């Protein structure tokens, strides 16, 4: 990678390593259960290719510009999200509220994310015993239902995950874990390729590809667009200040639009691979494509069951998925922990403990959504779906909308251009012009329309 602006003698390699490190850390937050579990499940329940198409559009038109803006704002002030917004706000304007909504979103996400991560950990052990490796849809669904309808297992695995992540955070070894995550990510990528290979050679695989890639635009509705937009926010960890915090660690020489574009592309690639791994197998074995959250847990074991050394691969797959989920959870935990440390003057240990206890408490109703609390519905949803809905479809888009308005109308074009061109060092004027147009007019308008539609304003 050449960097024209590095003078001779300046350690180009140093800069490269560090830029790569930032890329890796950002990717570590973005890639997680969203790619491997949520993307296939939502694509399955929302009509396949047409949903994928809308999701791609949301990612490019809204996701990427918001991500770039967040990273840029964070790098400009070099502080956490709330401080960043407060410092950049004109006197008397309460932009810090975006940070607060981010803390709420992080809690809501953690309440169900830790549960799904718990299922992944459980499947590592079930993979070792071989009990989940079956191509029979009835047995596969029953094995998964056994797990989620047992309150002790549901809560137990969730607590296991919460304690596991809290230990990593308290001992301050997150950086070490991030390094491990990044090293393991290519293995996850390769393993996904292997699963895709197997899945694509199953009889009837083309039906799965058709479902994923041949759009039927009549299936697009207001709710499909809302879901796709929510997924775009969730996937890129944006609209809640996480990327602002990451941006605060970015070097001044880093090319933000380029790094963000790479993160978005790599993230999309992993989601697509997960889709190609899952959907052909769904059709080949006659699973229910709209199975929702259980899709990953019933389909992937079936692919492994029909593969040489499938047993070993299954365990490896769930271990790597658990690692990716842990990377994302570390960045999620960081949001409330950093807030409690900085705004409430707590020690890191006390902040982590408080966060962990709150998630255990608030997460329990979500974990028990298929057992003890299954009949409790709020706005027609169980707690698991409610937390998911409120974070992805309300808090994050609302946060994203405010970030767009802040960047476009308060921060302003001149500073936007200066920051993203690294004060003229990168010649990217045209790209930045387009980005600014998107962030000032297009992205906020789209998010506002989709949200008003959801709130039944029209
Ligand atoms: N982007 C993560 C995933 O797709 O699994 C989830 C996530 C992590 C969302 C961090 C928000 C966040 F702040």
């Amino acid at each position: 990678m050449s960097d024209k602006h590095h003078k001779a003698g300046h350690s180009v390699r140093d800069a490269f390593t560090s830029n790569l490190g930032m890329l890796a850390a950002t990717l570590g937050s973005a890639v997680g259960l969203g790619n491997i579990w949520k993307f296939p499940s939502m694509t399955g329940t929302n009509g396949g290719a047409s949903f994928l198409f809308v999701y791609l559009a949301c990612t490019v038109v809204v996701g990427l510009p918001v991500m770039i803006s967040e990273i840029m704002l964070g790098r400009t002030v070099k502080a956490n999200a709330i401080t960043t917004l407060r410092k950049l706000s004109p006197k008397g304007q309460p932009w810090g509220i975006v940070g607060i909504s981010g803390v709420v979103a992080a809690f809501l996400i953690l309440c169900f994310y830790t549960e799904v991560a718990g299922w992944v950990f459980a499947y590592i052990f079930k993979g070792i015993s071989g009990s989940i490796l079956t191509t029979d849809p009835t047995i596969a669904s029953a094995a998964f239902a056994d797990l989620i309808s047992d309150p002790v297992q549901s809560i137990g695995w969730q607590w296991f995950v919460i304690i596991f992540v809290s230990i990593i955070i308290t001992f301050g070894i997150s950086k070490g874990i991030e390094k491990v995550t990044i090293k393991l990510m290519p293995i996850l990528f390769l393993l996904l390729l292997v699963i895709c290979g197997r899945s694509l050679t199953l009889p009837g695989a083309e039906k799965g590809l058709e479902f994923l890639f041949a759009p039927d635009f009549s299936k697009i509705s207001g709710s499909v667009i809302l879901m796709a937009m929510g997924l775009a926010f969730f996937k890129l960890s944006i609209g809640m200040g996480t990327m602002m915090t990451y941006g605060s660690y970015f070097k001044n020489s880093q090319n933000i639009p380029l790094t963000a574009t790479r993160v978005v592309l790599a993230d999309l690639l992993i989601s697509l691979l997960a889709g190609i791994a899952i959907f052909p197998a769904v059709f080949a074995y006659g699973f229910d494509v709209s199975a929702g959250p259980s899709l990953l847990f019933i389909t992937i074991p079936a692919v492994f069951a029909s593969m040489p050394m499938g047993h070993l691969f299954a365990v490896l797959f769930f271990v790597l998925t658990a690692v990716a989920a842990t990377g994302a959870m570390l960045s999620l935990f960081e949001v409330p922990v950093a807030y409690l440390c900085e705004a409430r003057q707590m020690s890191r240990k006390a902040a982590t403990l408080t966060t962990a206890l709150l998630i255990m408490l608030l997460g329990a109703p979500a974990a028990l959504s298929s057992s003890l609390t299954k009949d409790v519905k709020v706005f027609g949803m169980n707690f698991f779906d409610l937390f998911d809905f409120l974070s992805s479809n309300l808090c994050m888009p609302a946060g994203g909308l405010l970030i767009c308005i802040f960047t476009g109308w308060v921060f302003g074009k001149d500073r936007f251009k200066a920051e993203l061109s690294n004060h003229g060092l990168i010649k990217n004027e045209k790209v930045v012009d387009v980005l600014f147009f998107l962030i000032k007019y297009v992205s906020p308008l789209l998010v506002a329309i989709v949200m008003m539609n959801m709130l039944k304003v029209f």
Side-chain angles (χ1 to χ4, degrees):
M1 184 175 279
S2 74
D3 185 342
K4 284 187 197 122
H5 308 289
H6 276 294
K7 297 184 193 87
H10 190 297
S11 167
V12 173
R13 193 175 162 69
D14 224 350
F16 172 71
T17 313
S18 159
N19 284 351
L20 192 67
M22 278 303 45
L23 175 78
T26 317
L27 204 56
S29 167
V31 173
L33 293 173
N35 309 69
I36 296 161
W37 163 74
K38 204 170 202 252
F39 168 76
S41 133
M42 291 186 74
T43 307
T45 44
N46 287 293
S50 44
F51 175 82
L52 172 63
F53 181 83
V54 181
Y55 166 62
L56 287 177
C58 290
T59 300
V60 174
V61 181
V62 181
L64 184 61
V66 173
M67 186 182 218
I68 291 172
S69 302
E70 272 199 42
I71 295 177
M72 175 211 64
L73 295 172
R75 187 180 71 175
T76 305
V77 179
K78 302 215 169 6
N80 69 65
I82 300 179
T83 313
T84 296
L85 286 161
R86 281 195 184 141
K87 280 209 172 143
L88 292 172
S89 298
K91 262 215 166 70
Q93 293 187 11
W95 290 99
I97 196 154
V98 177
I100 310 275
S101 126
V103 176
V104 175
F107 267 118
L108 291 171
I109 295 175
L110 279 165
C111 286
F112 69 91
Y113 206 91
T114 47
E115 178 58 16
V116 183
W119 301 339
V120 173
F121 276 95
Y123 264 57
I124 296 175
F125 292 95
K126 289 180 192 285
I128 293 173
S129 73
S131 63
I132 48 160
L133 293 191
T134 171
T135 55
D136 183 330
T138 324
I139 303 178
S141 307
F144 183 68
D146 267 357
L147 170 68
I148 62 168
S149 60
D150 176 356
V152 177
Q153 285 199 65
S154 305
I155 291 279
W157 283 112
Q158 185 181 41
W159 284 20
F160 170 83
V161 168
I162 297 172
I163 294 169
F164 176 66
V165 176
S166 304
I167 291 176
I168 298 176
I169 298 223
T170 334
F171 283 100
I173 46 174
S174 320
K175 288 278 160 309
I177 294 290
E178 262 161 31
K179 284 203 180 111
V180 175
T181 312
I182 291 320
K183 292 219 173 79
L184 292 179
M185 217 72 104
I187 308 181
L188 177 64
F189 181 77
L190 288 179
L191 192 61
L192 274 174
L193 282 181
V194 173
I195 311 172
C196 288
R198 173 69 266 214
S199 197
L200 285 172
T201 49
L202 289 169
E206 24 354 295
K207 281 220 186 87
L209 283 184
E210 212 172 282
F211 179 78
L212 187 58
F213 293 117
D216 168 1
F217 290 113
S218 67
K219 286 186 179 156
I220 297 179
S221 63
S223 102
V224 165
I225 299 176
L226 175 69
M227 295 293 164
M229 200 178 72
L231 180 63
F233 276 97
F234 183 88
K235 269 305 324 110
L236 300 176
S237 317
I238 52 175
M240 48 182 284
T242 310
M243 282 299 152
M244 242 180 252
T245 313
Y246 274 71
S248 67
Y249 302 119
F250 269 56
K251 287 176 71 172
N252 286 337
S253 62
Q254 186 131 4
N255 186 334
I256 295 177
L258 188 66
T259 307
T261 307
R262 285 186 175 145
V263 170
V264 169
L265 288 179
D267 183 68
L268 276 177
L269 184 64
I270 297 181
S271 295
L272 283 177
L273 284 182
I276 298 172
I278 287 177
F279 287 109
V282 167
F283 285 88
Y285 292 123
F287 287 118
D288 175 12
V289 73
S290 58
S294 62
L295 193 66
L296 168 75
F297 297 93
I298 53 181
T299 312
I300 286 289
V303 181
F304 287 123
S306 60
M307 237 165 101
M309 295 200 307
H311 199 121
L312 184 77
F313 277 137
V315 176
L316 186 62
F317 174 80
F318 283 108
V319 167
L320 293 170
T321 304
V323 172
T326 305
M329 281 188 289
L330 287 172
S331 74
L332 273 167
F333 253 75
E334 205 53 47
V335 180
V337 169
Y339 171 74
L340 291 174
C341 286
E342 285 164 29
R344 309 258 160 230
Q345 275 84 40
M346 278 191 188
S347 72
R348 207 170 156 77
K349 256 202 187 123
T352 311
L353 191 68
T354 312
T355 306
L357 287 176
L358 273 173
I359 298 164
M360 282 179 177
L361 206 70
L362 293 172
L368 298 172
S369 284
S370 300
S371 52
L372 300 182
T373 63
K374 82 168 178 273
D375 296 323
V376 186
K377 301 270 189 277
V378 185
F379 303 124
M381 288 175 264
N382 64 30
F383 285 110
F384 185 99
D385 294 336
L386 179 72
F387 291 155
D388 184 2
F389 184 86
L390 289 179
S391 49
S392 291
N393 297 338
L394 197 68
C395 290
M396 295 168 102
L401 177 63
L402 291 175
I403 289 166
C404 291
I405 298 175
F406 182 82
T407 311
W409 300 84
V410 179
F411 193 73
K413 191 167 186 176
D414 292 342
R415 282 202 282 175
F416 185 82
K417 281 179 114 164
E419 287 297 333
L420 290 184
S421 67
N422 294 354
H423 298 278
L425 285 175
I426 310 171
K427 298 283 166 255
N428 58 0
E429 201 163 337
K430 289 223 168 65
V431 175
V432 174
D433 277 341
V434 174
L435 277 173
F436 192 76
F437 181 74
L438 286 176
I439 211 74
K440 184 165 182 178
Y441 303 105
V442 185
S443 320
L445 203 63
L446 282 178
V447 179
I449 292 174
V450 174
M451 288 192 73
M452 282 199 277
N453 183 302
M454 172 190 74
L455 297 169
K456 308 236 179 330
V457 177
F458 55 79

